[in-house]
Structure formats: C-alpha cells, structure tokens
C-alpha cells in the first residue's frame, strides 16, 4: 500500500511539473523537489548531450564534489551527518528534498556552510532541473567539441565555476588558491599550476579534488585558451 501511494504521489508530481515553466530560481523561490528514490533513479548510459537535459555525471555531480563532498564534510571518508555526496548512490540516500532544503537554507544553516560560498543560482537551477527530470544517474558524451570559439567568459569560466571554484574561492579557499576571478586564475596559468593540476601531471595535486578528471574536450579547450594567452574575453 505504501509503495502504491508513493508511486501515485511521484507520478502526480512529475506530471504537474511537465506542464509549467519556471523562471531562474532564487533560494526563496525554489519549490521542493521529490524525495530521493522516486522515478528515474536507475542508471543511464552515455548518449549525445542534449541542452534540454541535466546530466548527473557531467553537470550535477561536479557541483556536489566541488562544494559539498570535500574533506571534513560530505566526502566518502568524513560522511558528515551520515551523508556521502561524492557519488550517485550517496546523493540519493541523503534524499533529494533534504539536499534541496539544505542548499537553500539561511546562511547560518545552509550547505555549503559559511565561510564557503553558497551555490550560485545557475548551479541551483542545474540541480533543480535534474531533480525535476527524475533524478537519474544519467551521463552524456558531447557529439562535438567546440574549439573554434573558446573564450574565458563562455568556455573556461563555467568549467572552473562548476568543477574547481567550490574549493578554490572565498575566505576558505583550499590551499589559499582562489580561482574566482580571471586575474587570480591567470596567476595559476602563469606558474603552471592550473594545467599541471587539471591534467594530473606528476608533482601537482590533481583537480578536481576527489572528482573525475576533466574530459578531453575540456582539457583541450583549456589548453587552447592558455596557449592563446589566457585572455579575459
């Protein structure tokens, strides 16, 4: 009986959201997503990436890895409050509604906790979109890699923001390295540490910390940007 009620509730939730559009969310506007374990929690294979779909492995997990699953918090070792947000099963076990509530709490109670920066509205929108689409363990492979229009603002900044900046920004920046501005990022380009870290070269701390290595496409775009002078365009 409980399973039947939960299924009907989840089905009604998903149908209801399929008929409405949402403006970009703010912490005070965001509606609650379904509890973890609902429809679509099975795995999804690599498919061509669609701009209409949020992908857990490429878009959502890096946000959790960089901002929540860090040492001393919700990584596989520390498991603060019993939560491991470094993988899909851990995220689902924590409960999607609980996670959504935590990232939208008041500053004193939110996740990531102070003095770490809160998730951006863009990151929250990505998580919300993924939850709305069923919270699947889905993955995609870009059908093409854009190497003709690589810029800091449109290409490099989003990569750093989603996969590095959670650890490397604000007053609690890991290792004292803040990558939140072009000037600070370029300083790490100049001393070779950015390329050494993202390319997992010997003698450098691999980045993203605890996450998967950047894709060949992302690495190629970063290399093109660096070789072109790492301009702020």
């Amino acid at each position: 009986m409980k399973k039947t009620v939960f299924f009907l509730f989840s089905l009604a939730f998903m149908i209801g959201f399929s008929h409405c559009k949402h403006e970009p969310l703010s912490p005070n506007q965001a509606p609650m997503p379904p509890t973890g374990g609902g429809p679509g929690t099975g795995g999804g294979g690599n498919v061509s990436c669609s701009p209409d779909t949020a992908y857990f492995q490429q878009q959502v997990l890096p946000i959790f890895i960089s901002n929540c699953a860090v040492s001393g918090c919700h990584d596989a070792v520390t498991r603060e409050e019993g939560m491991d947000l470094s993988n899909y099963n851990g995220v689902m076990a924590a409960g999607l509604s609980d996670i959504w509530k935590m990232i939208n709490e008041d500053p004193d109670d939110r996740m990531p906790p102070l003095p770490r920066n809160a998730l951006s509205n863009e990151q929250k929108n990505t998580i919300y979109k993924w939850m709305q689409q069923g919270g699947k363990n889905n993955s995609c492979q870009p059908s093409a890699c854009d190497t003709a229009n690589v810029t800091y603002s449109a290409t490099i900044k989003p990569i750093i923001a989603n996969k590095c900046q959670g650890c490397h920004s604000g007053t609690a920046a890991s290792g004292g390295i803040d990558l939140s501005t072009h000037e600070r990022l370029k300083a790490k380009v100049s001393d070779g540490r950015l390329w050494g870290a993202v390319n997992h070269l010997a003698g450098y701390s691999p980045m993203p910390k605890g996450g998967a290595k950047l894709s060949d496409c992302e690495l190629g775009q970063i290399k093109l940007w660096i070789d072109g002078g790492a301009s702020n365009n």
Side-chain angles (χ1 to χ4, degrees):
M1 181 64 182
K2 291 182 178 179
K3 291 183 177 179
T4 301
V5 172
F6 180 79
F7 173 77
L8 292 174
F9 171 79
S10 301
L11 182 61
F13 182 95
M14 297 304 295
I15 292 174
F17 270 103
S18 68
H19 294 289
C20 59
K21 294 182 180 180
H22 297 274
E23 296 298 321
L25 304 174
S26 70
N28 293 326
Q29 295 172 324
M32 293 295 287
T35 304
T41 55
N46 264 349
V47 297
S48 295
C49 298
S50 166
D52 298 323
T53 302
Y55 295 95
F56 180 76
Q57 294 296 331
Q58 284 75 27
Q59 296 172 288
V60 177
L61 183 58
I63 296 174
F64 287 135
I65 291 285
S66 180
N67 293 275
C68 311
V70 297
S71 179
C73 291
H74 302 297
D75 61 331
V77 176
T78 310
R79 297 175 60 87
E80 181 73 17
E81 298 181 356
M83 289 189 291
D84 175 8
L85 302 183
S86 66
N87 59 79
Y88 178 77
N89 289 337
V91 169
M92 298 307 290
L96 302 189
S97 291
D98 288 338
I99 291 174
W100 186 254
K101 181 179 179 181
M102 286 187 293
I103 64 178
N104 287 290
E105 284 280 13
D106 293 331
D108 290 340
D109 299 314
R110 67 156 166 81
M111 183 179 72
L114 292 170
R116 303 181 71 86
N117 293 332
L119 297 186
S120 67
N121 279 344
E122 183 179 1
Q123 290 171 322
K124 290 178 183 178
N125 286 334
T126 298
I127 294 172
Y128 176 83
K129 184 177 182 179
W130 170 73
M131 290 177 173
Q132 181 186 342
Q133 292 175 347
K136 299 177 183 178
N137 184 14
N138 53 351
S139 179
C140 74
Q141 183 66 38
S143 56
C145 181
D146 185 1
T147 56
N149 301 293
V150 175
T151 65
Y152 170 72
S153 58
T155 312
I156 306 304
K157 186 176 180 180
I159 295 173
I160 300 300
N162 286 330
K163 300 189 176 182
C164 311
Q165 207 167 298
C167 293
H168 297 293
S169 65
T171 57
S174 179
I177 299 173
D178 185 345
L179 303 180
S180 61
T181 68
H182 171 265
E183 181 182 8
R184 291 169 178 169
L185 180 64
K186 189 170 183 179
K188 297 306 157 190
V189 170
S190 299
D191 65 18
R193 295 181 69 178
L194 176 67
W195 182 245
V198 298
N199 206 33
H200 294 194
L201 300 180
Y204 295 90
S205 178
M207 188 172 73
K209 194 74 171 179
K213 186 178 179 180
L214 298 183
S215 68
D216 290 342
C217 177
E218 291 169 323
L219 289 172
Q221 290 171 329
I222 291 174
K223 188 67 165 61
L224 281 171
W225 176 69
I226 290 174
D227 290 346
S231 63
N232 184 15
N233 60 356

